[in-house]
Amino acid sequence: GTNGSILAVSDIHTYYGDSHILQGVSLEVRRGECTALLGRNGAGKTTTLRSIVGLTPARSGRIVFANQDISGWTTHRIVRLGLGYVPENRGIFSNLTVREHLMVAVWASGVSSQRLDQVLAIFPRISERMDNLGQQLSGGEQQMLSIARALLGEPDLLVLDEPSEGLAPIIVNEVSDTLARIKETGTSILLVEQNAEMALSLADSVTILSQGRVQFSGTPKELEEAPRISEAYLGVS
Ligand code: ATP
């Protein structure tokens, strides 16, 4: 049922012009849980996230978030309802300081400065770099800033597009630990990853895409018991 779910995507079809990219994608994120969305390059993961957040709206199907049918809603309205989006490119401006990135988000979402302190407590590295410019941050720090910014509005669901991309393994572990702590506070997570190992360590359920279709949906344990699925769609054995 949808009682336990914060997000339920049902049979969405999404196009870029005439290209039919998502051909009936369904997935669920249960409250307080993490769903990993995996698949090779070009499988349709980013397009799925863009459809959910209204940047590339689905042409058909249904998306229910926080008990509301958000199909056709603007991104702004979806974010206001409680969705935090961390895009693939991280959305960091080279010539704004860390403080300015965060203050813009504080003003835009109308949260208190107390909330900023709460969020900064999760990101000690970021708190030490408040006066550094975006371009002076490492890839890992940019990722952490992007996640911190998305958390400011106290989202019920955090949606992340490949947070591990381009990061050294030790930094990937830091991002992973941070996401685990965020999940412990009750925030639900939808995590797109190329790094299946990292994603599966956090996930309660897994959906695998290939060519715009769902090829597998289940628990990490069920995926482990189906090695052919991983071989075929994740390129691991
Ligand atoms: P990646 O890890 O490379 O981002 P992905 O699983 O996120 O892969 P998508 O980015 O969703 O995949 O791309 C799915 C398909 O849609 C690909 O075939 C891609 O070439 C195509 N595509 C993506 N963006 C556009 C666009 N703006 N216009 C046309 N086709 C696009």
Side-chain angles (χ1 to χ4, degrees), residues 3 23 30 59 62-63 120 135 162 165 180 215 234:
N3 260 357
Q23 306 189 15
R30 298 180 64 82
R59 222 178 263 183
R62 208 162 100 98
I63 303 175
L120 284 175
Q135 65 192 9
E162 293 199 37
E165 194 182 22
Q215 307 293 343
L234 302 180

Side-chain angles (χ1 to χ4, degrees), residues 80-144:
R80 286 293 282 270
L81 186 60
L83 187 148
Y85 180 46
V86 181
E88 197 165 20
N89 62 20
R90 296 166 188 157
I92 302 303
F93 300 96
S94 54
N95 54 359
L96 288 188
T97 65
V98 168
R99 190 186 312 279
E100 285 164 344
H101 279 92
L102 294 170
M103 289 319 291
V104 168
V106 165
W107 291 323
S109 57
V111 297
S112 64
S113 57
Q114 194 184 2
R115 174 66 190 158
L116 178 55
D117 293 340
Q118 281 174 1
V119 168
L120 284 175
I122 310 173
F123 301 93
R125 278 292 285 165
I126 292 301
S127 347
E128 289 164 13
R129 294 192 146 266
M130 292 296 269
D131 296 311
N132 284 102
L133 295 173
Q135 65 192 9
Q136 296 171 315
L137 303 179
S138 68
E141 289 165 347
Q142 289 186 6
Q143 189 63 62
M144 294 295 195

Side-chain angles (χ1 to χ4, degrees), residues 141-195:
E141 289 165 347
Q142 289 186 6
Q143 189 63 62
M144 294 295 195
L145 174 56
S146 191
I147 297 170
R149 180 174 52 190
L151 281 179
L152 277 174
E154 298 190 71
D156 296 317
L157 176 69
L158 189 61
V159 174
L160 306 106
D161 199 345
E162 293 199 37
S164 80
E165 194 182 22
L167 303 183
I170 189 165
I171 310 299
V172 171
N173 289 342
E174 267 181 47
V175 171
S176 176
D177 289 348
T178 302
L179 294 179
R181 267 181 285 136
I182 291 167
K183 191 179 134 184
E184 274 167 28
T185 69
T187 308
S188 313
I189 297 176
L190 176 57
L191 176 61
V192 158
E193 263 302 333
Q194 286 284 332
N195 185 334

